[in-house]
Amino acid sequence: MSNYVRKIILVGENGNGKSLTCNTLLGKEIFDGSKRSRTAGCETCYLHTRSVKLWVVDSPGMFEPVSVLAERALEIQNAVKECKDPHAFLIVFKADSRTDDRNTNTIEMLRLIFGEVFFKHAIVVITNAAKFKSDADFQSYRKQGKMSQIVDLCQGRIVRLENKDVTPQKKREMIDKVFALVDNVSRMGNFCYENKELHCHREMLEYHLKHVAANMPVNNQIEEMKRCLRENLQENGSDSGYYEVAKIH
Ligand SMILES: Nc1nc2c(ncn2[C@@H]2O[C@H](COP(=O)(O)OP(=O)(O)OP(=O)(O)O)[C@@H](O)[C@H]2O)c(=O)[nH]1
Ligand SMILES: [Mg+2]
């Protein structure tokens, strides 16, 4: 067996099924995905069996508490401290998903937390896949509204996953699809996420946490953070066109 350990970080909005997806990938009930539980900080699990070497990081939901987004964002960024050189990020959405605006905000937050390079390693995962009545139903979901732009941003990588009530064989097939995408994005472990400007993102989030007004609407917080990050990156001598190129609206 090779030394390749798949390193995967799960991110996304609250309650979309990150913790249960971790459990599905691990094949074990490690993380609490019960109805009332909310993941509060990053949690890691390393699995080493005869056939699988896997490192999974579960992260807290993106928009809770909503009062100051930067607080959660800093916690989510800790995932790359806990799991250095990750191969892939799974952006978790769910089949009966929310409005386009929420999806767009998720993407903007991920860009603010991890930088544009994040999307080179990102895979869209849609949980609650049993809700799709057919393949055509899934195809129309992935083509609707902002979802198609998000999938394009992730270079077409999308997979559906049902974390409950599926046969072991079906579950195995879904897991294999996720792993195949992880292997593809990481070129069998030879290509890892790295962002030399991550400190600019962290400084911006720390600044925002200290200075943002507690009741500022989410969209205004995001705009404010983008402005601040642009300044930080420019001061750091980074590519100044960064945010103009990256927008998905
Ligand atoms: N039917 C079904 N329910 C799911 C699926 N995935 C998650 N759930 C349910 O959705 C709820 C939230 O799942 P979690 O895994 O805790 O979601 P999370 O993204 O970790 O939530 P936070 O930690 O709060 O951000 C739980 O009640 C799960 O049982 C799925 O594929 N199918
Ligand atoms: Mg969770």
Side-chain angles (χ1 to χ4, degrees), residues 12-21 32-40 58-62 64 72 92 94 126-131 161-165:
E13 209 183 307
N14 328 68
N16 277 0
K18 297 179 294 299
S19 298
L20 273 202
T21 300
D32 190 350
S34 57
K35 237 180 196 120
R36 259 166 285 145
S37 96
R38 287 274 170 262
T39 306
D58 188 15
S59 70
M62 191 84 71
E64 218 169 89
R72 259 301 151 88
V92 181
K94 65 178 175 187
I126 313 295
T127 65
N128 290 256
K131 295 214 165 120
L161 204 64
E162 175 52 59
N163 290 310
K164 288 186 169 177
D165 306 328

Side-chain angles (χ1 to χ4, degrees), residues 66-112:
V66 287
S67 54
V68 183
L69 292 175
E71 189 180 333
R72 259 301 151 88
L74 282 163
E75 185 55 49
I76 293 166
Q77 202 191 63
N78 285 339
V80 294
K81 282 191 189 164
E82 289 202 18
C83 177
K84 289 207 167 61
D85 305 324
H87 297 117
F89 294 87
L90 307 188
I91 315 176
V92 181
F93 295 99
K94 65 178 175 187
D96 61 349
S97 211
R98 324 279 178 98
T99 63
D100 275 355
D101 284 353
R102 300 276 303 206
N103 292 352
T104 306
N105 285 345
T106 298
I107 296 301
E108 288 295 354
M109 285 308 297
L110 289 168
R111 186 170 271 144
L112 286 163

Side-chain angles (χ1 to χ4, degrees), residues 70 73-74 77 109 111-113 198-211 221-222 224-230 232 243:
L74 282 163
Q77 202 191 63
M109 285 308 297
R111 186 170 271 144
L112 286 163
I113 297 168
L198 201 64
H199 64 98
C200 294
H201 294 251
R202 189 143 196 106
E203 280 157 24
M204 172 277 291
L205 293 170
E206 282 166 351
Y207 177 87
H208 194 73
L209 180 59
K210 273 195 205 137
H211 295 96
Q221 288 190 47
I222 290 176
E224 196 54 31
M225 286 192 280
K226 280 161 76 170
R227 192 189 54 73
C228 183
L229 178 60
R230 206 179 290 125
N232 279 6
Y243 259 96

